[in-house]
Amino acid sequence: MSQSVSFLTPEAETAIVEAIRLAELQTSGEIRVHIEKSTSKVPFDRALEVFHTLNMHATEQKNGVLIYVAYQDKNFVICGDQGINDLVPADFWDSTKDLMASHFKLGNFTTGLVSGIAKVGEQLKTYFPLQENDQNELSNEISKG
């Protein structure tokens, strides 16, 4: 049994995967969501570790974005690879995190994740529009730790 059962219902997971699929229809960028109960590490360090474990650093244009959630710790991190980090406005990641946190504080985790995915997708579309020969380089499924 998955340890994130108490965090997201199967319907919520389906909605999140669909949000990723829809966002990626318009961009060559890659979005992943990783959920785990807790981490003993600094959340950003753990997110970077997961980023590399999922091979997100291996995208051709360095445009992968990971949304990492440690739900029992009430922590989440958004990490973008160098290609996207070099292009987005300086406050983009913080404003995206604020948007998601506003939903999380109300207990609306699915809405928070879906809205964050949509906002990331818009930025990816701006800087990395879908190419004619684009291939989905990474799975859209939620990974779990």
Side-chain angles (χ1 to χ4, degrees):
M1 180 157 303
S2 162
Q3 57 172 273
S4 66
V5 162
S6 62
F7 181 66
L8 293 174
T9 64
E11 295 79 14
E13 289 192 17
T14 299
I16 291 162
V17 170
E18 179 65 3
I20 293 169
R21 187 187 74 76
L22 291 173
E24 289 184 357
L25 284 176
Q26 304 178 63
T27 177
S28 62
E30 297 288 336
I31 302 168
R32 295 290 312 264
V33 173
H34 181 85
I35 296 173
E36 55 192 25
K37 191 173 184 178
S38 183
T39 181
S40 59
K41 299 179 180 176
V42 173
F44 187 78
D45 293 346
R46 175 64 181 138
L48 287 177
E49 185 177 87
V50 169
F51 192 92
H52 287 279
T53 300
L54 296 175
N55 286 323
M56 296 192 69
H57 60 286
T59 60
E60 186 177 334
Q61 297 183 56
K62 302 291 182 208
N63 57 1
V65 176
L66 173 67
I67 298 173
Y68 166 83
V69 179
Y71 64 89
Q72 191 172 47
D73 300 341
K74 295 186 163 85
N75 275 314
F76 72 103
V77 174
I78 307 169
C79 319
D81 207 345
Q82 185 176 352
I84 187 71
N85 279 344
D86 288 349
L87 298 172
V88 294
D91 67 341
F92 175 70
W93 300 119
D94 286 337
S95 67
T96 304
K97 196 169 179 184
D98 291 346
L99 169 70
M100 293 172 65
S102 70
H103 292 289
F104 290 173
K105 286 176 186 164
L106 300 172
N108 300 327
F109 299 107
T110 305
T111 303
L113 285 163
V114 168
S115 63
I117 290 163
K119 188 169 180 181
V120 167
E122 285 298 312
Q123 287 295 303
L124 285 169
K125 180 176 89 171
T126 298
Y127 297 107
F128 299 97
L130 189 66
Q131 303 297 311
E132 191 175 305
N133 61 348
D134 184 68
Q135 294 182 353
N136 192 6
E137 296 177 81
L138 299 172
S139 169
N140 294 345
E141 295 301 310
I142 297 169
S143 62
K144 298 172 186 163

